[in-house]
mmCIF file of all heavy atoms in Angstrom:
data_model
loop_
_atom_site.group_PDB
_atom_site.id
_atom_site.type_symbol
_atom_site.label_atom_id
_atom_site.label_comp_id
_atom_site.label_asym_id
_atom_site.label_seq_id
_atom_site.Cartn_x
_atom_site.Cartn_y
_atom_site.Cartn_z
ATOM 1 N N MET H 1 -7.110 15.482 -1.711
ATOM 2 C CA MET H 1 -8.428 14.897 -1.952
ATOM 3 C C MET H 1 -8.546 13.389 -1.941
ATOM 4 O O MET H 1 -9.437 12.765 -1.371
ATOM 5 C CB MET H 1 -9.004 15.521 -3.230
ATOM 6 C CG MET H 1 -10.389 15.248 -3.490
ATOM 7 S SD MET H 1 -11.408 16.091 -2.329
ATOM 8 C CE MET H 1 -12.992 15.716 -2.951
ATOM 9 N N ARG H 2 -7.533 12.759 -2.470
ATOM 10 C CA ARG H 2 -7.504 11.305 -2.516
ATOM 11 C C ARG H 2 -7.422 10.707 -1.039
ATOM 12 O O ARG H 2 -7.957 9.617 -0.866
ATOM 13 C CB ARG H 2 -6.353 10.824 -3.366
ATOM 14 C CG ARG H 2 -6.500 11.336 -4.851
ATOM 15 C CD ARG H 2 -6.133 10.127 -5.792
ATOM 16 N NE ARG H 2 -5.956 10.576 -7.138
ATOM 17 C CZ ARG H 2 -7.037 10.789 -8.040
ATOM 18 N NH1 ARG H 2 -8.217 10.460 -7.548
ATOM 19 N NH2 ARG H 2 -6.818 11.192 -9.102
ATOM 20 N N LYS H 3 -6.787 11.395 -0.234
ATOM 21 C CA LYS H 3 -6.654 10.869 1.159
ATOM 22 C C LYS H 3 -8.056 10.848 1.897
ATOM 23 O O LYS H 3 -8.291 9.900 2.551
ATOM 24 C CB LYS H 3 -5.657 11.899 2.052
ATOM 25 C CG LYS H 3 -5.295 11.238 3.247
ATOM 26 C CD LYS H 3 -4.348 10.148 3.113
ATOM 27 C CE LYS H 3 -3.688 9.905 4.554
ATOM 28 N NZ LYS H 3 -2.706 8.787 4.540
ATOM 29 N N LYS H 4 -8.826 11.797 1.598
ATOM 30 C CA LYS H 4 -10.189 11.730 2.131
ATOM 31 C C LYS H 4 -10.996 10.704 1.506
ATOM 32 O O LYS H 4 -11.827 10.081 2.253
ATOM 33 C CB LYS H 4 -10.903 13.102 1.918
ATOM 34 C CG LYS H 4 -10.428 14.279 2.687
ATOM 35 C CD LYS H 4 -11.324 15.497 2.537
ATOM 36 C CE LYS H 4 -10.823 16.679 3.342
ATOM 37 N NZ LYS H 4 -11.697 17.990 3.168
ATOM 38 N N ASN H 5 -10.849 10.422 0.260
ATOM 39 C CA ASN H 5 -11.524 9.224 -0.423
ATOM 40 C C ASN H 5 -11.075 8.050 0.277
ATOM 41 O O ASN H 5 -11.950 7.128 0.556
ATOM 42 C CB ASN H 5 -11.174 9.293 -1.933
ATOM 43 C CG ASN H 5 -12.113 8.331 -2.633
ATOM 44 O OD1 ASN H 5 -13.195 8.119 -2.243
ATOM 45 N ND2 ASN H 5 -11.542 7.797 -3.786
ATOM 46 N N VAL H 6 -9.866 7.785 0.558
ATOM 47 C CA VAL H 6 -9.414 6.442 1.243
ATOM 48 C C VAL H 6 -9.987 6.460 2.663
ATOM 49 O O VAL H 6 -10.453 5.376 3.042
ATOM 50 C CB VAL H 6 -7.824 6.492 1.245
ATOM 51 C CG1 VAL H 6 -7.323 5.369 2.186
ATOM 52 C CG2 VAL H 6 -7.240 6.362 -0.153
ATOM 53 N N ILE H 7 -9.959 7.593 3.414
ATOM 54 C CA ILE H 7 -10.589 7.600 4.739
ATOM 55 C C ILE H 7 -12.071 7.275 4.713
ATOM 56 O O ILE H 7 -12.576 6.496 5.392
ATOM 57 C CB ILE H 7 -10.323 8.934 5.363
ATOM 58 C CG1 ILE H 7 -8.735 9.080 5.684
ATOM 59 C CG2 ILE H 7 -11.097 8.963 6.763
ATOM 60 C CD1 ILE H 7 -8.413 10.354 6.064
ATOM 61 N N GLY H 8 -12.733 7.875 3.613
ATOM 62 C CA GLY H 8 -14.240 7.599 3.538
ATOM 63 C C GLY H 8 -14.476 6.113 3.212
ATOM 64 O O GLY H 8 -15.493 5.533 3.625
ATOM 65 N N LEU H 9 -13.648 5.534 2.276
ATOM 66 C CA LEU H 9 -13.883 4.118 1.978
ATOM 67 C C LEU H 9 -13.591 3.228 3.052
ATOM 68 O O LEU H 9 -14.284 2.285 3.347
ATOM 69 C CB LEU H 9 -12.947 3.742 0.812
ATOM 70 C CG LEU H 9 -13.394 4.367 -0.522
ATOM 71 C CD1 LEU H 9 -12.270 4.147 -1.645
ATOM 72 C CD2 LEU H 9 -14.603 3.677 -1.101
ATOM 73 N N ASN H 10 -12.558 3.528 3.909
ATOM 74 C CA ASN H 10 -12.251 2.788 5.098
ATOM 75 C C ASN H 10 -13.471 2.810 6.055
ATOM 76 O O ASN H 10 -13.802 1.827 6.678
ATOM 77 C CB ASN H 10 -11.084 3.252 5.752
ATOM 78 C CG ASN H 10 -9.804 2.738 5.146
ATOM 79 O OD1 ASN H 10 -9.712 1.489 4.649
ATOM 80 N ND2 ASN H 10 -8.747 3.550 5.157
ATOM 81 N N GLN H 11 -14.065 3.984 6.140
ATOM 82 C CA GLN H 11 -15.242 4.168 7.061
ATOM 83 C C GLN H 11 -16.393 3.429 6.641
ATOM 84 O O GLN H 11 -17.163 2.819 7.389
ATOM 85 C CB GLN H 11 -15.532 5.641 7.353
ATOM 86 C CG GLN H 11 -16.728 5.826 8.394
ATOM 87 C CD GLN H 11 -16.344 5.331 9.757
ATOM 88 O OE1 GLN H 11 -15.251 5.588 10.218
ATOM 89 N NE2 GLN H 11 -17.173 4.707 10.432
ATOM 90 N N ALA H 12 -16.660 3.483 5.228
ATOM 91 C CA ALA H 12 -17.773 2.806 4.707
ATOM 92 C C ALA H 12 -17.588 1.231 4.853
ATOM 93 O O ALA H 12 -18.532 0.480 5.128
ATOM 94 C CB ALA H 12 -17.819 3.033 3.184
ATOM 95 N N ILE H 13 -16.319 0.681 4.674
ATOM 96 C CA ILE H 13 -16.127 -0.668 4.935
ATOM 97 C C ILE H 13 -16.300 -1.033 6.332
ATOM 98 O O ILE H 13 -17.000 -2.047 6.521
ATOM 99 C CB ILE H 13 -14.645 -0.997 4.499
ATOM 100 C CG1 ILE H 13 -14.528 -0.876 2.926
ATOM 101 C CG2 ILE H 13 -14.204 -2.442 4.916
ATOM 102 C CD1 ILE H 13 -13.038 -0.996 2.537
ATOM 103 N N THR H 14 -16.022 -0.284 7.194
ATOM 104 C CA THR H 14 -16.258 -0.489 8.786
ATOM 105 C C THR H 14 -17.714 -0.601 9.093
ATOM 106 O O THR H 14 -18.190 -1.556 9.710
ATOM 107 C CB THR H 14 -15.535 0.536 9.606
ATOM 108 O OG1 THR H 14 -14.117 0.486 9.330
ATOM 109 C CG2 THR H 14 -15.797 0.260 11.023
ATOM 110 N N ASN H 15 -18.446 0.388 8.465
ATOM 111 C CA ASN H 15 -19.884 0.430 8.747
ATOM 112 C C ASN H 15 -20.533 -0.839 8.082
ATOM 113 O O ASN H 15 -21.510 -1.409 8.713
ATOM 114 C CB ASN H 15 -20.513 1.791 8.079
ATOM 115 C CG ASN H 15 -19.933 2.923 8.867
ATOM 116 O OD1 ASN H 15 -19.538 2.914 9.937
ATOM 117 N ND2 ASN H 15 -20.173 4.026 8.219
ATOM 118 N N LEU H 16 -20.156 -1.200 6.897
ATOM 119 C CA LEU H 16 -20.875 -2.272 6.275
ATOM 120 C C LEU H 16 -20.477 -3.595 6.947
ATOM 121 O O LEU H 16 -21.298 -4.470 7.139
ATOM 122 C CB LEU H 16 -20.340 -2.442 4.823
ATOM 123 C CG LEU H 16 -20.895 -1.551 3.827
ATOM 124 C CD1 LEU H 16 -20.177 -1.465 2.570
ATOM 125 C CD2 LEU H 16 -22.355 -1.719 3.594
ATOM 126 N N GLU H 17 -19.222 -3.773 7.592
ATOM 127 C CA GLU H 17 -18.926 -4.852 8.446
ATOM 128 C C GLU H 17 -19.673 -5.067 9.617
ATOM 129 O O GLU H 17 -20.156 -6.136 9.953
ATOM 130 C CB GLU H 17 -17.322 -4.916 8.709
ATOM 131 C CG GLU H 17 -16.504 -5.291 7.442
ATOM 132 C CD GLU H 17 -14.985 -5.007 7.677
ATOM 133 O OE1 GLU H 17 -14.569 -4.431 8.640
ATOM 134 O OE2 GLU H 17 -14.291 -5.541 6.791
ATOM 135 N N GLU H 18 -19.950 -3.915 10.263
ATOM 136 C CA GLU H 18 -20.895 -3.939 11.408
ATOM 137 C C GLU H 18 -22.289 -4.212 11.111
ATOM 138 O O GLU H 18 -22.893 -5.000 11.843
ATOM 139 C CB GLU H 18 -20.796 -2.457 11.993
ATOM 140 C CG GLU H 18 -19.407 -2.170 12.730
ATOM 141 C CD GLU H 18 -19.403 -0.768 13.334
ATOM 142 O OE1 GLU H 18 -20.401 -0.118 13.298
ATOM 143 O OE2 GLU H 18 -18.313 -0.379 13.646
ATOM 144 N N LEU H 19 -22.788 -3.628 9.937
ATOM 145 C CA LEU H 19 -24.058 -4.063 9.526
ATOM 146 C C LEU H 19 -24.131 -5.550 9.187
ATOM 147 O O LEU H 19 -25.121 -6.232 9.453
ATOM 148 C CB LEU H 19 -24.505 -3.290 8.233
ATOM 149 C CG LEU H 19 -25.859 -3.291 7.759
ATOM 150 C CD1 LEU H 19 -26.878 -2.856 8.807
ATOM 151 C CD2 LEU H 19 -26.017 -2.423 6.542
ATOM 152 N N LYS H 20 -23.214 -6.058 8.639
ATOM 153 C CA LYS H 20 -23.154 -7.625 8.181
ATOM 154 C C LYS H 20 -23.213 -8.374 9.503
ATOM 155 O O LYS H 20 -23.898 -9.319 9.525
ATOM 156 C CB LYS H 20 -21.863 -7.884 7.423
ATOM 157 C CG LYS H 20 -21.648 -9.182 7.007
ATOM 158 C CD LYS H 20 -20.454 -9.448 6.271
ATOM 159 C CE LYS H 20 -20.092 -11.028 6.133
ATOM 160 N NZ LYS H 20 -18.740 -11.181 5.569
ATOM 161 N N LYS H 21 -22.406 -8.094 10.507
ATOM 162 C CA LYS H 21 -22.503 -8.657 11.774
ATOM 163 C C LYS H 21 -23.922 -8.767 12.392
ATOM 164 O O LYS H 21 -24.443 -9.842 12.823
ATOM 165 C CB LYS H 21 -21.605 -8.099 12.769
ATOM 166 C CG LYS H 21 -20.150 -8.363 12.537
ATOM 167 C CD LYS H 21 -19.223 -7.729 13.650
ATOM 168 C CE LYS H 21 -17.758 -7.779 13.201
ATOM 169 N NZ LYS H 21 -16.989 -6.893 14.124
ATOM 170 N N ASP H 22 -24.642 -7.653 12.275
ATOM 171 C CA ASP H 22 -26.059 -7.691 12.817
ATOM 172 C C ASP H 22 -26.921 -8.651 12.029
ATOM 173 O O ASP H 22 -27.699 -9.377 12.599
ATOM 174 C CB ASP H 22 -26.655 -6.243 12.553
ATOM 175 C CG ASP H 22 -26.001 -5.126 13.466
ATOM 176 O OD1 ASP H 22 -25.467 -5.578 14.536
ATOM 177 O OD2 ASP H 22 -26.126 -3.872 13.266
ATOM 178 N N TYR H 23 -26.813 -8.625 10.654
ATOM 179 C CA TYR H 23 -27.530 -9.557 9.902
ATOM 180 C C TYR H 23 -27.132 -11.048 10.048
ATOM 181 O O TYR H 23 -27.945 -11.970 10.096
ATOM 182 C CB TYR H 23 -27.471 -9.192 8.310
ATOM 183 C CG TYR H 23 -28.465 -8.073 7.933
ATOM 184 C CD1 TYR H 23 -27.885 -6.921 7.480
ATOM 185 C CD2 TYR H 23 -29.705 -8.211 8.077
ATOM 186 C CE1 TYR H 23 -28.690 -5.792 7.348
ATOM 187 C CE2 TYR H 23 -30.569 -7.096 7.786
ATOM 188 C CZ TYR H 23 -30.072 -5.831 7.269
ATOM 189 O OH TYR H 23 -30.955 -4.896 6.990
ATOM 190 N N GLU H 24 -25.829 -11.240 10.329
ATOM 191 C CA GLU H 24 -25.412 -12.613 10.685
ATOM 192 C C GLU H 24 -26.118 -13.053 11.909
ATOM 193 O O GLU H 24 -26.496 -14.272 12.091
ATOM 194 C CB GLU H 24 -23.835 -12.688 10.817
ATOM 195 C CG GLU H 24 -23.136 -12.689 9.537
ATOM 196 C CD GLU H 24 -21.665 -12.550 9.642
ATOM 197 O OE1 GLU H 24 -21.200 -12.090 10.641
ATOM 198 O OE2 GLU H 24 -20.986 -12.840 8.627
ATOM 199 N N GLU H 25 -26.223 -12.253 12.945
ATOM 200 C CA GLU H 25 -26.739 -12.500 14.218
ATOM 201 C C GLU H 25 -28.266 -12.949 13.974
ATOM 202 O O GLU H 25 -28.833 -13.746 14.695
ATOM 203 C CB GLU H 25 -26.649 -11.475 15.226
ATOM 204 C CG GLU H 25 -25.196 -11.201 15.699
ATOM 205 C CD GLU H 25 -24.954 -9.992 16.625
ATOM 206 O OE1 GLU H 25 -25.979 -9.397 16.865
ATOM 207 O OE2 GLU H 25 -23.823 -9.914 17.062
ATOM 208 N N LYS H 26 -28.997 -12.196 12.993
ATOM 209 C CA LYS H 26 -30.359 -12.396 12.869
ATOM 210 C C LYS H 26 -30.565 -13.648 11.899
ATOM 211 O O LYS H 26 -31.785 -14.075 11.710
ATOM 212 C CB LYS H 26 -30.988 -11.179 12.058
ATOM 213 C CG LYS H 26 -31.011 -9.988 13.060
ATOM 214 C CD LYS H 26 -31.576 -8.882 12.093
ATOM 215 C CE LYS H 26 -31.434 -7.463 12.958
ATOM 216 N NZ LYS H 26 -31.908 -6.351 12.265
ATOM 217 N N GLY H 27 -29.396 -14.237 11.335
ATOM 218 C CA GLY H 27 -29.597 -15.372 10.353
ATOM 219 C C GLY H 27 -30.221 -15.039 9.095
ATOM 220 O O GLY H 27 -30.625 -15.846 8.383
ATOM 221 N N ASP H 28 -29.866 -13.753 8.616
ATOM 222 C CA ASP H 28 -30.514 -13.235 7.380
ATOM 223 C C ASP H 28 -29.316 -13.343 6.288
ATOM 224 O O ASP H 28 -28.568 -12.540 5.942
ATOM 225 C CB ASP H 28 -30.890 -11.690 7.429
ATOM 226 C CG ASP H 28 -31.581 -11.219 6.290
ATOM 227 O OD1 ASP H 28 -31.446 -11.832 5.150
ATOM 228 O OD2 ASP H 28 -32.187 -10.223 6.459
ATOM 229 N N SER H 29 -29.342 -14.584 5.667
ATOM 230 C CA SER H 29 -28.283 -14.910 4.731
ATOM 231 C C SER H 29 -28.323 -14.129 3.519
ATOM 232 O O SER H 29 -27.191 -13.780 2.921
ATOM 233 C CB SER H 29 -28.318 -16.413 4.395
ATOM 234 O OG SER H 29 -29.461 -16.792 3.751
ATOM 235 N N PHE H 30 -29.477 -13.723 3.033
ATOM 236 C CA PHE H 30 -29.532 -12.992 1.747
ATOM 237 C C PHE H 30 -28.875 -11.581 1.943
ATOM 238 O O PHE H 30 -28.038 -11.219 1.196
ATOM 239 C CB PHE H 30 -31.040 -12.644 1.415
ATOM 240 C CG PHE H 30 -31.189 -11.869 0.238
ATOM 241 C CD1 PHE H 30 -30.998 -12.248 -1.016
ATOM 242 C CD2 PHE H 30 -31.539 -10.420 0.313
ATOM 243 C CE1 PHE H 30 -31.095 -11.369 -2.081
ATOM 244 C CE2 PHE H 30 -31.695 -9.559 -0.581
ATOM 245 C CZ PHE H 30 -31.375 -10.034 -1.986
ATOM 246 N N ASN H 31 -29.079 -10.896 3.017
ATOM 247 C CA ASN H 31 -28.546 -9.639 3.289
ATOM 248 C C ASN H 31 -27.077 -9.803 3.643
ATOM 249 O O ASN H 31 -26.296 -8.918 3.248
ATOM 250 C CB ASN H 31 -29.282 -8.837 4.340
ATOM 251 C CG ASN H 31 -30.550 -8.181 3.776
ATOM 252 O OD1 ASN H 31 -30.595 -7.586 2.670
ATOM 253 N ND2 ASN H 31 -31.592 -8.185 4.525
ATOM 254 N N VAL H 32 -26.612 -10.802 4.227
ATOM 255 C CA VAL H 32 -25.303 -11.049 4.527
ATOM 256 C C VAL H 32 -24.465 -11.106 3.229
ATOM 257 O O VAL H 32 -23.459 -10.512 3.041
ATOM 258 C CB VAL H 32 -24.968 -12.346 5.365
ATOM 259 C CG1 VAL H 32 -23.631 -12.759 5.360
ATOM 260 C CG2 VAL H 32 -25.643 -12.095 6.767
ATOM 261 N N ARG H 33 -25.021 -12.014 2.292
ATOM 262 C CA ARG H 33 -24.403 -11.996 0.928
ATOM 263 C C ARG H 33 -24.345 -10.703 0.266
ATOM 264 O O ARG H 33 -23.352 -10.375 -0.283
ATOM 265 C CB ARG H 33 -25.071 -13.241 0.107
ATOM 266 C CG ARG H 33 -24.746 -14.581 0.498
ATOM 267 C CD ARG H 33 -25.330 -15.512 -0.485
ATOM 268 N NE ARG H 33 -26.577 -15.443 -1.010
ATOM 269 C CZ ARG H 33 -27.612 -15.909 -0.386
ATOM 270 N NH1 ARG H 33 -27.519 -16.697 0.576
ATOM 271 N NH2 ARG H 33 -28.870 -15.691 -0.913
ATOM 272 N N LEU H 34 -25.461 -9.957 0.218
ATOM 273 C CA LEU H 34 -25.509 -8.676 -0.358
ATOM 274 C C LEU H 34 -24.468 -7.709 0.115
ATOM 275 O O LEU H 34 -23.804 -7.137 -0.557
ATOM 276 C CB LEU H 34 -26.894 -8.248 -0.135
ATOM 277 C CG LEU H 34 -27.202 -6.720 -0.887
ATOM 278 C CD1 LEU H 34 -27.174 -7.045 -2.460
ATOM 279 C CD2 LEU H 34 -28.681 -6.248 -0.465
ATOM 280 N N ILE H 35 -24.448 -7.686 1.508
ATOM 281 C CA ILE H 35 -23.521 -6.727 2.204
ATOM 282 C C ILE H 35 -21.976 -7.277 1.882
ATOM 283 O O ILE H 35 -21.086 -6.397 1.682
ATOM 284 C CB ILE H 35 -23.703 -6.626 3.660
ATOM 285 C CG1 ILE H 35 -25.070 -5.925 3.879
ATOM 286 C CG2 ILE H 35 -22.610 -5.858 4.350
ATOM 287 C CD1 ILE H 35 -25.668 -5.953 5.198
ATOM 288 N N SER H 36 -21.937 -8.530 1.953
ATOM 289 C CA SER H 36 -20.449 -8.991 1.496
ATOM 290 C C SER H 36 -20.014 -8.581 0.088
ATOM 291 O O SER H 36 -18.855 -8.111 0.005
ATOM 292 C CB SER H 36 -20.435 -10.572 1.575
ATOM 293 O OG SER H 36 -20.724 -11.083 2.827
ATOM 294 N N ASN H 37 -20.942 -8.568 -0.766
ATOM 295 C CA ASN H 37 -20.679 -8.026 -2.149
ATOM 296 C C ASN H 37 -20.276 -6.614 -2.179
ATOM 297 O O ASN H 37 -19.359 -6.174 -2.794
ATOM 298 C CB ASN H 37 -21.748 -8.390 -2.991
ATOM 299 C CG ASN H 37 -21.859 -9.878 -3.266
ATOM 300 O OD1 ASN H 37 -20.924 -10.636 -3.251
ATOM 301 N ND2 ASN H 37 -23.108 -10.263 -3.932
ATOM 302 N N MET H 38 -20.978 -5.909 -1.346
ATOM 303 C CA MET H 38 -20.781 -4.336 -1.198
ATOM 304 C C MET H 38 -19.484 -4.167 -0.548
ATOM 305 O O MET H 38 -18.708 -3.276 -0.932
ATOM 306 C CB MET H 38 -21.906 -3.785 -0.318
ATOM 307 C CG MET H 38 -23.377 -3.742 -0.935
ATOM 308 S SD MET H 38 -24.559 -3.301 -0.002
ATOM 309 C CE MET H 38 -24.284 -1.594 0.261
ATOM 310 N N ILE H 39 -19.068 -4.911 0.388
ATOM 311 C CA ILE H 39 -17.895 -4.799 1.075
ATOM 312 C C ILE H 39 -16.642 -5.080 0.049
ATOM 313 O O ILE H 39 -15.654 -4.399 -0.063
ATOM 314 C CB ILE H 39 -17.531 -5.779 2.207
ATOM 315 C CG1 ILE H 39 -18.509 -5.196 3.373
ATOM 316 C CG2 ILE H 39 -16.205 -5.810 2.789
ATOM 317 C CD1 ILE H 39 -18.781 -6.103 4.520
ATOM 318 N N ASN H 40 -16.864 -6.127 -0.706
ATOM 319 C CA ASN H 40 -15.748 -6.378 -1.780
ATOM 320 C C ASN H 40 -15.615 -5.354 -2.765
ATOM 321 O O ASN H 40 -14.561 -4.940 -3.133
ATOM 322 C CB ASN H 40 -16.288 -7.764 -2.519
ATOM 323 C CG ASN H 40 -15.990 -8.873 -1.607
ATOM 324 O OD1 ASN H 40 -15.261 -8.954 -0.664
ATOM 325 N ND2 ASN H 40 -16.745 -9.992 -1.939
ATOM 326 N N ASP H 41 -16.794 -4.672 -3.121
ATOM 327 C CA ASP H 41 -16.748 -3.619 -4.156
ATOM 328 C C ASP H 41 -16.012 -2.393 -3.487
ATOM 329 O O ASP H 41 -15.110 -1.642 -4.157
ATOM 330 C CB ASP H 41 -18.166 -3.100 -4.505
ATOM 331 C CG ASP H 41 -18.913 -4.207 -5.438
ATOM 332 O OD1 ASP H 41 -18.295 -5.032 -5.902
ATOM 333 O OD2 ASP H 41 -20.192 -3.992 -5.454
ATOM 334 N N LYS H 42 -16.254 -2.136 -2.210
ATOM 335 C CA LYS H 42 -15.557 -1.028 -1.483
ATOM 336 C C LYS H 42 -14.076 -1.357 -1.390
ATOM 337 O O LYS H 42 -13.214 -0.336 -1.501
ATOM 338 C CB LYS H 42 -16.132 -0.908 -0.126
ATOM 339 C CG LYS H 42 -17.585 -0.169 -0.185
ATOM 340 C CD LYS H 42 -17.570 1.135 -0.885
ATOM 341 C CE LYS H 42 -18.997 1.665 -0.944
ATOM 342 N NZ LYS H 42 -19.166 2.824 -1.708
ATOM 343 N N TYR H 43 -13.715 -2.534 -1.108
ATOM 344 C CA TYR H 43 -12.294 -2.936 -1.156
ATOM 345 C C TYR H 43 -11.601 -2.678 -2.454
ATOM 346 O O TYR H 43 -10.497 -2.210 -2.533
ATOM 347 C CB TYR H 43 -12.080 -4.352 -0.694
ATOM 348 C CG TYR H 43 -11.983 -4.544 0.884
ATOM 349 C CD1 TYR H 43 -12.823 -5.459 1.480
ATOM 350 C CD2 TYR H 43 -11.018 -4.032 1.553
ATOM 351 C CE1 TYR H 43 -12.757 -5.672 2.860
ATOM 352 C CE2 TYR H 43 -10.942 -4.172 3.005
ATOM 353 C CZ TYR H 43 -11.783 -5.029 3.496
ATOM 354 O OH TYR H 43 -11.712 -5.245 4.963
ATOM 355 N N GLN H 44 -12.315 -3.068 -3.470
ATOM 356 C CA GLN H 44 -11.676 -2.812 -4.829
ATOM 357 C C GLN H 44 -11.537 -1.331 -5.024
ATOM 358 O O GLN H 44 -10.538 -0.912 -5.628
ATOM 359 C CB GLN H 44 -12.584 -3.412 -5.950
ATOM 360 C CG GLN H 44 -12.555 -4.955 -5.967
ATOM 361 C CD GLN H 44 -13.580 -5.510 -6.885
ATOM 362 O OE1 GLN H 44 -14.266 -4.826 -7.589
ATOM 363 N NE2 GLN H 44 -13.332 -6.750 -7.107
ATOM 364 N N GLU H 45 -12.574 -0.539 -4.696
ATOM 365 C CA GLU H 45 -12.448 0.943 -4.842
ATOM 366 C C GLU H 45 -11.177 1.516 -3.985
ATOM 367 O O GLU H 45 -10.528 2.348 -4.425
ATOM 368 C CB GLU H 45 -13.755 1.696 -4.396
ATOM 369 C CG GLU H 45 -14.877 1.488 -5.298
ATOM 370 C CD GLU H 45 -16.132 2.159 -4.703
ATOM 371 O OE1 GLU H 45 -16.021 3.360 -4.297
ATOM 372 O OE2 GLU H 45 -17.172 1.606 -4.674
ATOM 373 N N LEU H 46 -11.115 0.875 -2.764
ATOM 374 C CA LEU H 46 -9.992 1.336 -1.886
ATOM 375 C C LEU H 46 -8.777 1.019 -2.487
ATOM 376 O O LEU H 46 -7.741 1.848 -2.470
ATOM 377 C CB LEU H 46 -10.136 0.577 -0.640
ATOM 378 C CG LEU H 46 -9.189 0.881 0.504
ATOM 379 C CD1 LEU H 46 -9.094 2.421 0.875
ATOM 380 C CD2 LEU H 46 -9.410 0.109 1.708
ATOM 381 N N GLN H 47 -8.500 -0.164 -3.157
ATOM 382 C CA GLN H 47 -7.366 -0.484 -3.682
ATOM 383 C C GLN H 47 -6.919 0.480 -4.897
ATOM 384 O O GLN H 47 -5.820 0.861 -5.042
ATOM 385 C CB GLN H 47 -7.280 -1.956 -4.277
ATOM 386 C CG GLN H 47 -7.281 -2.964 -2.968
ATOM 387 C CD GLN H 47 -6.314 -2.843 -1.977
ATOM 388 O OE1 GLN H 47 -5.177 -2.571 -2.371
ATOM 389 N NE2 GLN H 47 -6.644 -2.877 -0.759
ATOM 390 N N LEU H 48 -7.911 0.760 -5.619
ATOM 391 C CA LEU H 48 -7.743 1.628 -6.753
ATOM 392 C C LEU H 48 -7.413 3.084 -6.309
ATOM 393 O O LEU H 48 -6.554 3.666 -6.853
ATOM 394 C CB LEU H 48 -9.050 1.700 -7.583
ATOM 395 C CG LEU H 48 -9.067 2.617 -8.810
ATOM 396 C CD1 LEU H 48 -7.871 2.143 -9.723
ATOM 397 C CD2 LEU H 48 -10.335 2.524 -9.492
ATOM 398 N N ALA H 49 -8.046 3.425 -5.246
ATOM 399 C CA ALA H 49 -7.820 4.840 -4.690
ATOM 400 C C ALA H 49 -6.373 4.935 -4.156
ATOM 401 O O ALA H 49 -5.704 5.862 -4.372
ATOM 402 C CB ALA H 49 -8.798 5.273 -3.746
ATOM 403 N N LYS H 50 -5.877 3.787 -3.414
ATOM 404 C CA LYS H 50 -4.528 3.738 -3.020
ATOM 405 C C LYS H 50 -3.585 3.783 -4.110
ATOM 406 O O LYS H 50 -2.524 4.377 -4.001
ATOM 407 C CB LYS H 50 -4.401 2.532 -2.044
ATOM 408 C CG LYS H 50 -5.006 2.683 -0.771
ATOM 409 C CD LYS H 50 -4.709 1.431 0.146
ATOM 410 C CE LYS H 50 -5.217 1.648 1.464
ATOM 411 N NZ LYS H 50 -4.968 0.383 2.351
ATOM 412 N N LYS H 51 -3.840 3.030 -5.163
ATOM 413 C CA LYS H 51 -2.984 2.914 -6.364
ATOM 414 C C LYS H 51 -2.760 4.167 -6.979
ATOM 415 O O LYS H 51 -1.726 4.658 -7.304
ATOM 416 C CB LYS H 51 -3.511 1.929 -7.265
ATOM 417 C CG LYS H 51 -2.585 1.569 -8.487
ATOM 418 C CD LYS H 51 -3.093 0.504 -9.249
ATOM 419 C CE LYS H 51 -2.296 0.171 -10.537
ATOM 420 N NZ LYS H 51 -2.878 -0.913 -11.273
ATOM 421 N N GLU H 52 -3.911 4.984 -7.185
ATOM 422 C CA GLU H 52 -3.840 6.289 -7.805
ATOM 423 C C GLU H 52 -3.118 7.310 -6.904
ATOM 424 O O GLU H 52 -2.537 8.182 -7.499
ATOM 425 C CB GLU H 52 -5.360 6.722 -8.025
ATOM 426 C CG GLU H 52 -6.030 5.982 -9.182
ATOM 427 C CD GLU H 52 -7.522 6.504 -9.343
ATOM 428 O OE1 GLU H 52 -7.925 7.221 -8.412
ATOM 429 O OE2 GLU H 52 -8.033 5.951 -10.258
ATOM 430 N N SER H 53 -3.257 7.252 -5.625
ATOM 431 C CA SER H 53 -2.457 8.194 -4.643
ATOM 432 C C SER H 53 -1.090 7.834 -4.408
ATOM 433 O O SER H 53 -0.411 8.477 -3.883
ATOM 434 C CB SER H 53 -3.310 8.341 -3.352
ATOM 435 O OG SER H 53 -3.145 7.096 -2.623
ATOM 436 N N GLY H 54 -0.770 6.606 -5.005
ATOM 437 C CA GLY H 54 0.688 6.193 -4.746
ATOM 438 C C GLY H 54 0.995 5.559 -3.425
ATOM 439 O O GLY H 54 2.092 5.444 -3.078
ATOM 440 N N GLU H 55 0.050 5.172 -2.687
ATOM 441 C CA GLU H 55 0.205 4.305 -1.464
ATOM 442 C C GLU H 55 0.635 2.968 -1.623
ATOM 443 O O GLU H 55 0.289 2.302 -2.495
ATOM 444 C CB GLU H 55 -0.990 4.568 -0.571
ATOM 445 C CG GLU H 55 -1.020 6.039 -0.080
ATOM 446 C CD GLU H 55 -2.332 6.007 0.956
ATOM 447 O OE1 GLU H 55 -2.546 5.014 1.587
ATOM 448 O OE2 GLU H 55 -2.791 7.073 1.100
#
């Protein structure tokens, strides 16, 4: 089950990074910062999930 969580988090990070690029192209700095914070949160969740699964 933890492996699926790690895969899901990796996919979420990838999707957020793509969304961030779109907003960067539009020059929307507010949403870029917001999504950057979301990406950081997902990275923290990912590190915790990896730690819990022993990776």
